[in-house]
Amino acid sequence: MAPAAQPLPEQRRKVLAWCCYDVANSGYTTLMITVFAVYMQRIVFDSETTGATGAVVWAWSVALSMLIGAIASPLVGAIADGRGAKREGLAITALGGGIACMIMAVLPASQFILVTVCFVVANLCLELSLTFYNGFLAEISDDAEVNRISTMGMAWGYFGGGLALLLALLALAFFPNESSPGSTLRVCVFGTGVWWILFSIPTIWVLDDRPRAEPKTGLTKTVGSSLADVWLTIKELRHHRTLAIFLVAFLFYNDGVQTVISQSSTFAIRELNFSNQNLAAVVLLVQFVATPGAMFIGWLSDQFGRQRTLQICLVAWIVLLMLAWFVETQFGYWLLSIGVALVLGGTQSVSRAVMSSLTPEGKEARYFGFFNFSGKATSFMGTFYFGMIIGLTQNARIAIVGLILFFSIGLVLLSSVRWNEESD
């Protein structure tokens, strides 16, 4: 899958550059579920005066960006393959997302519609950028190293996200600015955009698309042929039964994972009354526990196979969600968060490695577009459901129970097929 004649130093340089984008996007995703969630729910939509409005808008904004991303990802992936433009696409979406964060920070909080639009744009840019970014994995690795490199990128991401969150935590602790509670949060939101752009530079600078035998075509022709490619990919999936079933399974269990990630802060804020600093601290703990957790699960995958390791992860998620129903104290939430951290990174990195190993060569961006599609096509339903239930009941606990269904369906589907991991 990787170019055969690539010198080792150049290969290592590309792997390190690829990992830098995990640092870039993890800085955003980590601060999104802490700083952004608090800013939206406590400053832009003051919970004391608007009730659950902020929690509902937050959940539905995430859902909207995921829905648009699910629709657009296969198309932009096909265009990237057709024009050899993964690098260009990554540059546009990373820069666009970073700028959206900066604009969101400088807008007055009273402009809640524009602030919300900026957040949706930033989140959408993240979703689309991952299509291009994941498409590079098959180009910089072979099947013998895909687990290690995928896990390495995930570990870099958790470390980088943890470092970004630590800086935000220090800012909140030492510069609380009681006279203007939202000012420090706004600085952190702006800094998130700077972080995203800064750590994207090595990835965009070093990585490049494979040389194409035929010249690039015009945009109109590319879009037309790309739509045909999308339809062709759908038909091709019938001949890749294992890949098709894995994508459906991933669609369900990743819906649960993404909803837990994006809405756990809402649970902590509304049900357990976490302060801004304590919420940042518990997510910081998750970041650093997730790093060895991802590496350990990567090791398990090498020892026992990717499929069995994924099954173990999904069972662990189901147990953790059951325990979440009974959490009544902040200390209990801390303990539960440690359990989530241990399986979070491993679930994502092994899933990415499985997808890379099952993807037909030369169609990486297109199939990773579908990978992103399968991961996001129903993820908006999880966050939409979460927001709807909170709006109706004012209780985040009820929403937790429904997420068990997504992990259970994923586990059943994943267990229904076997793949030869040595030949994939």
Side-chain angles (χ1 to χ4, degrees), residues 26 29 42 65 115 123 142-143 145 177 179 196 200 212 214 248 259 269 312 322 326 340 355 364 377 383 416:
S26 292
T29 56
R42 287 181 171 167
S65 62
V115 171
N123 221 40
D142 54 29
D143 195 57
E145 289 196 323
N177 200 343
S179 61
W196 191 347
S200 298
R212 294 180 51 78
E214 63 275 4
V248 176
T259 305
I269 292 169
I312 293 172
M322 290 179 178
F326 302 99
V340 169
M355 180 63 194
E364 294 86 5
T383 49
S416 67

Side-chain angles (χ1 to χ4, degrees), residues 3 76-88 136 139 208-218 221-223 225-226 229 361-366:
V76 299
I79 292 175
D81 275 333
R83 305 195 75 201
K86 291 193 297 294
R87 179 185 184 185
E88 179 182 337
F136 278 113
E139 295 190 10
D208 204 354
D209 295 86
R210 284 174 174 162
R212 294 180 51 78
E214 63 275 4
K216 294 181 180 180
T217 57
K221 185 176 180 181
T222 299
V223 170
S225 62
S226 295
D229 285 342
E361 185 175 356
K363 302 176 181 179
E364 294 86 5
R366 182 193 308 169

Side-chain angles (χ1 to χ4, degrees), residues 39 43 105 109 176-189 276:
Y39 182 64
I43 304 299
N177 200 343
E178 300 294 342
S179 61
S180 180
S183 59
T184 304
L185 291 172
R186 289 157 69 100
V187 171
C188 292
V189 170
N276 299 349

Side-chain angles (χ1 to χ4, degrees), residues 320-365:
L320 288 168
L321 288 176
M322 290 179 178
L323 293 175
W325 178 258
F326 302 99
V327 172
E328 298 284 350
T329 65
Q330 292 190 5
F331 179 71
Y333 186 86
W334 279 80
L335 293 178
L336 190 68
S337 297
I338 293 174
V340 169
L342 290 173
V343 295
L344 176 59
T347 304
Q348 295 172 323
S349 64
V350 174
S351 296
R352 187 163 61 182
V354 168
M355 180 63 194
S356 181
S357 67
L358 294 176
T359 298
E361 185 175 356
K363 302 176 181 179
E364 294 86 5

Side-chain angles (χ1 to χ4, degrees), residues 115-308:
V115 171
T116 303
V117 169
C118 285
F119 171 68
V120 172
V121 170
N123 221 40
L124 175 60
C125 285
L126 173 73
E127 301 298 331
L128 296 179
S129 73
L130 294 178
T131 298
F132 307 115
Y133 169 64
N134 287 329
F136 278 113
L137 178 59
E139 295 190 10
I140 64 172
S141 65
D142 54 29
D143 195 57
E145 289 196 323
V146 66
N147 271 347
R148 182 184 64 83
I149 294 175
S150 179
T151 302
M152 178 180 174
M154 197 66 64
W156 273 50
Y158 279 113
F159 178 80
L163 180 58
L165 184 57
L166 177 59
L167 295 175
L169 181 59
L170 292 174
L172 291 170
F174 291 102
F175 305 98
N177 200 343
E178 300 294 342
S179 61
S180 180
S183 59
T184 304
L185 291 172
R186 289 157 69 100
V187 171
C188 292
V189 170
F190 189 91
T192 302
V194 175
W195 178 284
W196 191 347
I197 294 173
L198 180 65
F199 283 97
S200 298
I201 292 174
T203 310
I204 298 167
W205 186 271
V206 174
L207 296 185
D208 204 354
D209 295 86
R210 284 174 174 162
R212 294 180 51 78
E214 63 275 4
K216 294 181 180 180
T217 57
L219 181 59
T220 301
K221 185 176 180 181
T222 299
V223 170
S225 62
S226 295
L227 287 172
D229 285 342
V230 169
W231 176 244
L232 178 62
T233 304
I234 293 175
K235 294 195 296 184
E236 284 180 358
L237 281 173
R238 295 180 301 176
H239 306 294
H240 301 283
R241 180 175 177 270
T242 300
L243 175 59
I245 293 177
F246 167 73
L247 285 172
V248 176
F250 181 79
L251 181 151
F252 282 101
Y253 74 73
N254 190 63
D255 189 2
V257 171
Q258 295 301 322
T259 305
V260 170
I261 292 173
S262 65
Q263 302 306 311
S264 59
S265 55
T266 298
F267 179 83
I269 292 169
R270 296 191 59 81
E271 299 297 325
L272 302 175
N273 197 30
F274 266 73
S275 67
N276 299 349
Q277 292 89 337
N278 285 343
L279 179 59
V282 71
V283 176
L284 181 63
L285 172 69
V286 169
Q287 291 297 112
F288 288 109
V289 174
T291 300
M295 297 177 69
F296 175 69
I297 290 178
W299 176 83
L300 284 181
S301 178
D302 288 333
Q303 301 301 312
F304 302 106
R306 300 165 194 150
Q307 184 175 19
R308 185 175 299 177

Side-chain angles (χ1 to χ4, degrees), residues 39-40 44-45 57 61 64 103-104 107-121:
Y39 182 64
M40 290 283 288
V44 180
F45 297 91
V57 171
S61 296
L64 178 61
I103 296 175
M104 179 180 174
L107 284 171
S110 59
Q111 298 292 325
F112 57 90
I113 295 178
L114 292 178
V115 171
T116 303
V117 169
C118 285
F119 171 68
V120 172
V121 170

